[in-house]
Amino acid sequence: MSGKYSVEMNGINKSFGGVHALKNVSVRFCPGEIHSLVGENGAGKSTLIKILSGMYVKDSGELRIHGATVHAKSVFEMKQKGVDVIYQEFALAPDCTVAENIYMSHLAGANRHFINWKQLNRRTKELIESIGFDIDPRETVGDLSVAYQQIVEIAKALSADVDIVVLDEPTAVLSPYETEKLFKILKDLREKGMTIIYISHRMEDVLELSDRITVLRDGENVAQYKKGS
């Protein structure tokens, strides 16, 4: 049974002081699907995703990635297992170039005098073009529009070979045209077998994109819907 799921979160509990943020939450995510998490502020969406990302450690319950039980206690560990989260506040260095941001982890500790910048810029250009955009790898990220910064974040995740991507309110600052372009990227990634976990308050976006929808309320999952059912 586990083989069909990329992520299984079974009986997850998490408290902060006297506040029970998650109460026995169970949810499963499949490869090749866009699965939305919805609910009001305080429903537990962010806490659940931060446990998946490695930012928080669950109090109890089980987390499985591709069928294997995971006890990771850091974001770095979870990225190594193929999980990345793109938050509303981008984790980008505005004074660095697009290429430097996308391959930052590869450059850490490297001697800049021996980096093949021509090759790095070419790899960056090919990666961004593979998701349908044309952004100069040498452009400073701080000079890009918010929409293009988001594309850099997605490309950065793809450069790390992750196959489970979480997007937190990704269309909040996008124009309708930019939203349409983003949706195309997400649908293309779904076709390539990636797991896309989508968090949004915009129900029109959720209904258009989602293969499945899980509803959280007061730290519990109260409903799940499947497209066509």
Side-chain angles (χ1 to χ4, degrees):
M1 187 78 171
S2 295
K4 66 182 288 189
Y5 301 114
S6 50
V7 179
E8 297 170 79
M9 305 184 79
N10 301 317
I12 303 296
N13 288 279
K14 181 67 179 177
S15 295
F16 299 94
V19 179
H20 207 164
L22 294 176
K23 308 167 189 174
N24 198 37
V25 172
S26 294
V27 60
R28 297 175 176 89
F29 304 95
C30 299
E33 78 164 0
I34 298 175
H35 189 145
S36 290
L37 288 178
V38 300
E40 297 179 350
N41 291 335
K45 304 184 302 296
S46 294
T47 302
L48 189 69
I49 290 309
K50 286 177 180 177
I51 289 172
L52 176 60
S53 74
M55 186 177 295
Y56 290 167
V57 177
K58 57 185 169 48
D59 295 336
S60 62
E62 182 186 43
L63 170 61
R64 297 172 68 88
I65 303 294
H66 297 300
T69 300
V70 171
H71 300 287
K73 298 181 179 179
S74 73
V75 172
F76 177 74
E77 286 182 80
M78 290 308 295
K79 283 189 177 180
Q80 287 186 313
K81 295 183 183 302
V83 180
D84 201 5
V85 181
I86 300 174
Y87 294 101
Q88 283 180 271
E89 298 79 20
F90 302 140
L92 297 172
D95 295 328
C96 293
T97 68
V98 171
E100 288 170 328
N101 270 277
I102 290 176
Y103 289 103
M104 187 75 72
S105 61
H106 302 264
L107 297 176
N111 186 330
R112 291 172 66 93
H113 295 293
F114 295 97
I115 294 172
N116 188 331
W117 291 105
K118 184 176 181 180
Q119 182 184 69
L120 189 70
N121 288 331
R122 186 180 72 250
R123 286 172 62 193
T124 300
K125 185 175 179 63
E126 290 172 352
L127 178 60
I128 293 175
E129 286 179 346
S130 74
I131 54 176
F133 280 78
D134 183 15
I135 303 174
D136 189 341
R138 299 163 297 182
E139 185 84 12
T140 301
V141 161
D143 293 334
L144 298 176
S145 68
V146 173
Y148 273 28
Q149 289 183 29
Q150 188 170 69
I151 299 308
V152 173
E153 279 278 31
I154 293 172
K156 185 171 71 171
L158 296 178
S159 76
D161 293 326
V162 302
D163 61 354
I164 301 160
V165 177
V166 183
L167 294 102
D168 183 16
E169 298 287 354
T171 63
V173 292
L174 301 185
S175 69
Y177 172 75
E178 292 165 342
T179 296
E180 184 179 339
K181 292 279 282 182
L182 174 65
F183 284 4
K184 184 180 185 308
I185 292 172
L186 298 183
K187 290 173 183 177
D188 287 345
L189 294 177
R190 175 180 61 189
E191 292 303 311
K192 293 176 181 177
M194 292 189 66
T195 300
I196 309 295
I197 303 172
Y198 191 88
I199 301 173
S200 180
H201 286 94
R202 296 186 178 185
M203 288 309 298
E204 62 272 23
D205 293 357
V206 169
L207 293 173
E208 177 180 342
L209 275 177
S210 306
D211 300 297
R212 285 191 294 152
I213 303 169
T214 293
V215 183
L216 299 182
R217 182 189 301 145
D218 298 328
E220 300 179 82
N221 49 338
V222 296
Q224 186 176 108
Y225 304 95
K226 186 176 181 180
K227 181 173 284 187
S229 63

